[in-house]
Amino acid sequence: MERTTFPLAQADTPTHWYNLAADLPGDPPAPALNPRTGQPLSHDEMAHTMPEPLIEQETGTAREFEIPEPVRQLYAQWRPSPLCRARRLERALGTPARIYYKYEGVAPTGSHKPNTGIAQAYYNKQAGKTGLVTETGAGQWGSATALSASFFGLSAKVYMVRVSAQQKPYRTALMETYGAVCVPSPSPETAVGRKILADDPDCPGSLGIATSEALETFAQDPSLGYVLGSAANHVLLHQTVIGQEALKQLELADDYPDVIVGCAGGGSNLAGLAFPFIGAQLRGGPPVRVVAVEPAACPTLTRGTVAYDYADTGRLGPLFRMHTLGHQFIPPSVHAGGLRGHGIGPMITRVIEEGLMEAVAVPQLGCLEAGVRFARTEGILPAPESTHAIRVAIDEAVRCREEGRARTIVFGLSGHGHFDLAAYQKYFAGELTDAEADEGMLAHAAAGIPAATGAR
């Protein structure tokens, strides 16, 4: 039989998270700034929003951080996750390329998000918090927060981008099943939400708005821990269990990637898969081409500016040096809600500036077409976010066919699409469009980016 999976033993689950900051050339990654002083956040300032171990992981340059045993024990329910060879897709494309996908949809909530959700819930529990609050786009992160909170006996409140809550009602139901309270954002519960609704009662919401509402709620209740689903250094760090496993699994396949592809929103699943390979390259290993794929409706990497900007629309949090479209940017209502963030992780920006990663933006319809093709050949229904990676992986495989070259392509399948069937229904009915961010919209949002150190 043709080998299609490359399973690891449970003992092969990583014992440490990998920190790419240890291997990057030059200066350490740019620090977050206090927007009032323009100075790097102090340790005490960071301690207001995160437990001590997360501060160390956010700012440290050690190559590894040990994964606590209780976190590893919970990981053991689904890790190591599968690495699969997409042989039927290869045959359907008539390509000499070898296509592999690292599948995170086997986690209880159906995506990669519990890799960091469980870690952050654990550290907040250790710090004496009794509840968690956060924001979510498509609901994958909200679901992971709800699950993680339930594992550690914590309450959870999730502000979900309104358009995604409307598109994906079963995500809300899943969060509530785990015991969380899910609030469509913008909401009348916060000052930020009330102001936005007063200006635009039909506002579809954005990750920036939902983040502001979560931060406002957090600031008013010291019993709550605020947790992040993507972008932050420590979140990207937690996801590196994905790439570390993939390195071992590709050894079993006697193969190594020429190209790694991941969808890009805040950057966590992309970094989780790619950073261990980039680190290996920086330490003298084989070179690898890494492609970040974002929606044309929210082209943060391909049309954004590198500057210090807020991660939230209400400007309640610190400034981060990152690719940004501007904290006031509200993307069109595409179904890949997890990719609708105006900014991306600062470490992703740094890796792109070092020439270790490239970015492309793709339209919605082509992504769903690729998702359908993948489902009909490989049998897995991908989340709309993951279809972006599939789209470019297919394009790379077709290029191999046209050039007569047999490259190895590895992409991240960050989650399943079982809660996203409405998107597929609308696609089959011809009701979706290729919404893109227009120049006027981008210019208006970019005008609000603060003039801070590091902008260019």
Side-chain angles (χ1 to χ4, degrees), residues 140-453:
Q140 299 275 21
W141 170 238
S143 301
T145 298
L147 173 71
S148 302
S150 71
F151 280 159
F152 290 101
L154 302 169
S155 68
K157 189 168 193 176
V158 180
Y159 288 92
M160 184 173 184
V161 174
R162 178 192 281 184
V163 66
S164 291
Q166 293 168 343
Q167 292 171 343
K168 309 170 197 300
Y170 297 120
R171 275 284 163 199
T172 298
L174 181 62
M175 290 180 235
E176 292 171 343
T177 301
Y178 289 136
V181 174
C182 185
V183 181
S185 171
S187 79
E189 291 196 2
T190 66
V192 169
R194 289 190 293 271
K195 182 179 185 303
I196 291 169
L197 289 173
D199 294 337
D200 180 8
D202 298 320
C203 177
S206 70
L207 278 170
I209 294 171
T211 300
S212 290
E213 293 208 87
L215 286 171
E216 182 178 328
T217 301
F218 162 74
Q220 296 172 351
D221 188 345
S223 72
L224 297 178
Y226 172 67
V227 292
L228 300 92
S230 194
N233 294 347
H234 65 275
V235 179
L236 274 57
L237 174 91
H238 297 159
Q239 295 294 353
T240 59
V241 292
I242 301 172
Q244 291 183 72
E245 290 175 4
L247 277 164
K248 293 180 180 180
Q249 288 163 318
L250 285 162
E251 286 183 12
L252 296 178
D254 193 24
D255 214 338
Y256 202 85
D258 298 295
V259 184
I260 293 175
V261 183
C263 61
S268 65
N269 94 92
L270 170 66
L273 176 61
F275 277 11
F277 289 91
I278 293 173
Q281 174 182 326
L282 291 171
R283 297 191 301 274
V288 62
R289 179 171 156 244
V290 180
V291 184
V293 190
E294 61 186 7
C298 193
T300 305
L301 293 171
T302 52
R303 298 172 70 183
T305 299
V306 177
Y308 269 102
D309 193 14
Y310 295 94
D312 70 296
T313 302
R315 300 183 299 179
L316 301 179
L319 296 166
F320 299 92
R321 187 179 185 277
M322 59 185 176
H323 284 82
T324 178
L325 296 170
H327 59 274
Q328 297 173 332
F329 180 71
I330 298 178
S333 301
V334 293
H335 275 267
L339 306 184
R340 292 179 70 247
H342 67 272
I344 201 162
M347 282 290 286
I348 299 292
T349 290
R350 174 66 182 275
V351 167
I352 286 180
E353 289 182 315
E354 294 289 345
L356 299 168
M357 182 185 292
E358 61 191 74
V360 297
V362 292
Q364 177 171 243
L365 293 181
C367 294
L368 285 169
E369 185 275 331
V372 171
R373 175 175 283 195
F374 183 80
R376 292 177 180 177
T377 53
E378 294 300 312
I380 297 173
L381 181 73
E385 292 80 9
S386 295
T387 63
H388 290 65
I390 297 170
R391 173 73 276 160
V392 171
I394 287 176
D395 292 345
E396 290 288 333
V398 170
R399 185 175 296 113
C400 287
R401 182 186 69 203
E402 293 171 347
E403 296 176 356
R405 299 184 61 180
R407 299 185 184 93
T408 297
I409 302 164
V410 178
F411 72 87
L413 184 52
S414 58
H416 66 61
H418 297 172
F419 292 103
D420 303 285
L421 288 168
Y424 286 94
Q425 283 182 318
K426 291 183 177 180
Y427 171 74
F428 293 129
E431 297 174 1
L432 295 183
T433 61
D434 278 334
E436 295 194 24
D438 62 52
E439 287 297 334
M441 181 191 306
L442 293 171
H444 175 75
I449 298 173
T453 304

